[in-house]
Amino acid sequence: MSHATDAFVSPRDSALRTLTVEQAAIGGLKAKLDAHFDRACELILACQGRVVVTGMGKSGHIGGKLAATLASTGTPAFFVHPGEASHGDLGMITPTDLVLALSNSGETAEVTALLPLLKRLGVPLVSMTGRADSTLAHHADAHLDSGVAREACPLDLAPTSSTTAALALGDALAVALLEARGFTAEQFALSHPGGSLGKRLLLRVADIMHSGERLPRVPLGSPLRDALLEITRQGLGFTCVVNADGTLAGVYTDGDLRRTLDRHQDVLRLTVDEVMTRPGRRIAPDVLAAEAVRIMEDGKITALAVVDEHQRPIGALHMHDLLASGVI
């Protein structure tokens, strides 16, 4: 039997309504922040072990994301499925840990079943629920209220506004802890070595420079022809020119070659000393690769000589190396 349907709602109108309801849900959290939030932060900061996040269903998905956010911002954390916890995974929780449990109703059976065991372990419990009078909230050492007026779902059934609010409140908790710990961008990079931020903050010139046989160099006084052959052989667009004591006298680059051809008729009679760039841009091996990018961009150059503390060339760095390493 067919049923009459409501008046047609366009997809865009539906989306706007959803966003409006969820925006209101997040905004409503501001009034719910109280001393329990401060207490939750104090408990987590005092925790000597790890924050064990748990939750069932959609709350579990939010909990998994929260555990990952905490772990990447200075608070060791991992997620445990509450159903699996009752069948052996509870052994992952030690007396030095803290449990952060999520449940919109605060009555999720798989989560509340853990309460007696957590009490026996003496593990602090922080709850995040949509009901301050729920079982989970009642037994928690600190309760975070993520309650919303209604779901964005027109049936007021599917977890939508409630999960969005829990996600936002979890982010607020993670950021508060991050700031309380004085967590730095460098520490964040250590947890993200494979990401672009990690590469910018961790990779140093020494990690990606060409050295040894791949270092282009010719002695001061060399015929220009030798410098050109060295540039071609190494394929880095320049060569170092070194003094008799091994220190860097200057560099000769592809750009210098263009200027040489423009100014001199018989280039084969020239020595590299006459046309090289002095003293030449240079960089130390322990400098961040990101700083090398800035130097190249500011100087409108594509390569740098890498020198030690005595100004002896020990490596060569090209813009292509920075691109290949993911620094840019």
Side-chain angles (χ1 to χ4, degrees), residues 43-279:
L43 289 169
I44 294 173
L45 290 169
C47 177
Q48 298 300 306
R50 299 154 301 173
V51 175
V52 182
V53 185
T54 191
M56 194 71 185
K58 303 300 185 295
S59 292
H61 295 311
I62 299 300
K65 188 272 180 187
L66 175 52
T69 300
L70 289 171
S72 69
T73 53
T75 300
F78 65 95
F79 179 81
V80 169
H81 191 284
E84 298 296 333
S86 296
H87 295 277
D89 283 5
L90 196 65
M92 297 180 181
I93 305 174
T94 72
T96 61
D97 296 333
L98 175 146
V99 171
L100 173 54
L102 285 72
S103 168
N104 186 42
S105 68
E107 305 294 343
T108 305
E110 293 86 350
V111 178
T112 57
L114 303 178
L115 292 174
L117 302 171
L118 297 178
K119 294 297 181 183
R120 287 184 62 182
L121 283 173
V123 174
L125 173 64
V126 175
S127 66
M128 184 186 298
T129 81
R131 288 178 46 204
D133 60 348
S134 63
T135 299
L136 191 56
H138 176 73
H139 285 88
D141 296 286
H143 173 248
L144 304 178
D145 188 349
S146 60
V148 299
R150 65 184 298 268
E151 299 288 4
C153 165
L155 303 176
D156 198 21
L157 295 174
T160 44
S161 300
S162 58
T163 48
T164 299
L167 182 66
L169 187 55
D171 286 344
L173 179 65
V175 171
L177 294 167
L178 177 156
E179 293 186 323
R181 295 183 191 279
F183 195 71
T184 65
E186 286 74 18
Q187 290 172 304
F188 184 88
L190 290 173
S191 299
H192 301 75
S196 59
L197 175 62
K199 289 183 172 66
R200 290 198 302 273
L201 294 177
L202 295 178
L203 269 183
R204 299 192 179 270
V205 168
D207 298 323
I208 54 178
M209 70 182 188
H210 299 276
S211 58
E213 293 298 317
R214 289 286 287 125
L215 171 60
R217 60 183 150 191
V218 295
L220 193 68
S222 297
L224 180 58
R225 179 178 181 277
D226 290 353
L228 296 177
L229 288 173
E230 181 70 353
I231 293 174
T232 302
R233 185 173 72 88
Q234 299 292 10
L236 296 178
F238 86 112
T239 183
C240 298
V241 182
V242 295
N243 294 305
D245 62 359
T247 57
L248 183 67
V251 297
Y252 191 74
T253 70
D254 287 341
D256 290 324
L257 174 58
R258 287 190 289 273
R259 286 184 285 275
T260 301
L261 293 173
D262 185 54
R263 298 170 186 170
H264 300 271
Q265 295 295 322
D266 191 355
V267 296
L268 295 180
R269 292 182 179 275
L270 297 171
T271 63
V272 72
D273 314 40
E274 300 174 75
V275 288
M276 72 180 185
T277 297
R278 298 174 184 263

